[in-house]
Amino acid sequence: MTGIKHIVWDWNGTLLDDNHANLAALNQVCAAFGRPQVDLDYWRSVFRRPLRECYEELLDRSFVDGEWERVNTIYDRHYLAEVPACGLAEGVPDVLRQWAAAGGTQSVLSMASHRHVNELVAERGLRPHFTRVDGRRFGTVSDSKTEHLAAHMEELGADPASVVLIGDIDDDARAAREAGANAVLVASGLMNRERLEATGHPVVSTTVEAVGLLGA
């Protein structure tokens, strides 16, 4: 992959190793709605956006007024309780230093809360590596990262053709394609390798391998 000058990093499941926190929070939602717990392999085989549709399928119900909000409240409470114990993904932060040393720039774009992502990136001492850190700053009908990526690159003043989004789910690939950027997918997060490979984009096991594809 040539001509890449800027990496847009996904956060959850890509730079942050938070699978166990996601699963613990998910199973608290399952318990609240009378659904048996699930394991990580199962969740990685069915997780998708839009999230609401994914959860309705998981819980085998169409949400009525207030139930989707309840899902989010339960999930967020338990996820936030678990996340302090989450480590950084394999190779981080060394891979961030490697890319900067090679002359590249980088930023973070997450679909999690804007405030939450900025706080976590700062707490982990990673903020100096990035020109910009964005979480979800506006709502979208599609619940996709596409519009957020377009806005993120516009704020950066970046040429999409020189940008690669490194993420862990197929929506990252979709966002990059629709926004005119490139994508590399890391099979360390909430979607299994088979589903990632179905996107047609390069799939690797670690962040180090992802940056290696860029020639750094």
Side-chain angles (χ1 to χ4, degrees):
M1 192 175 292
T2 60
I4 302 299
K5 298 179 180 179
H6 184 89
I7 297 173
V8 177
W9 291 98
D10 175 54
W11 177 247
N12 304 94
T14 303
L15 293 179
L16 184 69
D17 181 10
D18 64 346
N19 284 348
H20 73 276
N22 281 309
L23 187 65
L26 170 71
N27 278 321
Q28 290 294 330
V29 172
C30 288
F33 283 85
R35 199 248 193 245
Q37 293 194 349
V38 302
D39 62 21
L40 184 58
D41 285 344
Y42 174 78
W43 190 228
R44 296 180 80 229
S45 74
V46 300
F47 175 83
R48 70 181 191 281
R49 291 186 177 278
L51 287 180
R52 178 168 178 152
E53 293 178 9
C54 180
Y55 273 81
E56 286 182 330
E57 182 177 295
L58 173 73
L59 300 174
D60 194 24
R61 65 192 295 132
S62 295
F63 294 134
V64 298
D65 289 349
E67 286 191 328
W68 178 233
E69 291 74 15
R70 183 185 175 210
V71 167
N72 282 280
T73 297
I74 295 169
Y75 183 94
D76 289 348
R77 181 171 69 249
H78 291 283
Y79 176 83
L80 291 174
E82 296 282 344
V83 80
C86 295
L88 296 173
E90 180 182 347
V92 180
D94 290 346
V95 71
L96 305 179
R97 299 191 188 102
Q98 174 189 357
W99 179 248
T105 56
Q106 52 202 327
S107 58
V108 171
L109 176 62
S110 171
M111 291 292 280
S113 155
H114 182 70
R115 177 180 175 182
H116 170 68
V117 173
N118 273 272
E119 288 176 349
L120 278 182
V121 170
E123 287 171 6
R124 302 306 172 103
L126 300 180
R127 187 61 183 86
H129 295 288
F130 304 119
T131 56
R132 187 176 184 88
V133 176
D134 281 333
R136 185 192 290 265
R137 293 187 293 148
F138 52 87
T140 61
V141 174
S142 65
D143 189 32
S144 171
K145 189 177 277 186
T146 299
E147 293 164 87
H148 298 270
L149 178 59
H152 185 79
M153 291 191 297
E154 184 175 358
E155 294 282 357
L156 291 169
D159 174 8
S162 70
V163 172
V164 61
L165 172 58
I166 301 179
D168 70 311
I169 65 172
D170 58 5
D171 185 60
D172 293 309
R174 182 183 307 116
R177 182 178 62 252
E178 294 182 5
N182 305 276
V184 175
L185 303 175
V186 182
S188 59
L190 284 184
M191 197 164 281
N192 64 35
R193 181 178 287 269
E194 181 179 7
R195 298 177 69 199
L196 297 178
E197 290 176 344
T199 68
H201 290 271
V203 179
V204 296
S205 298
T206 68
T207 58
V208 175
E209 292 178 41
V211 172
L213 291 181
L214 311 181

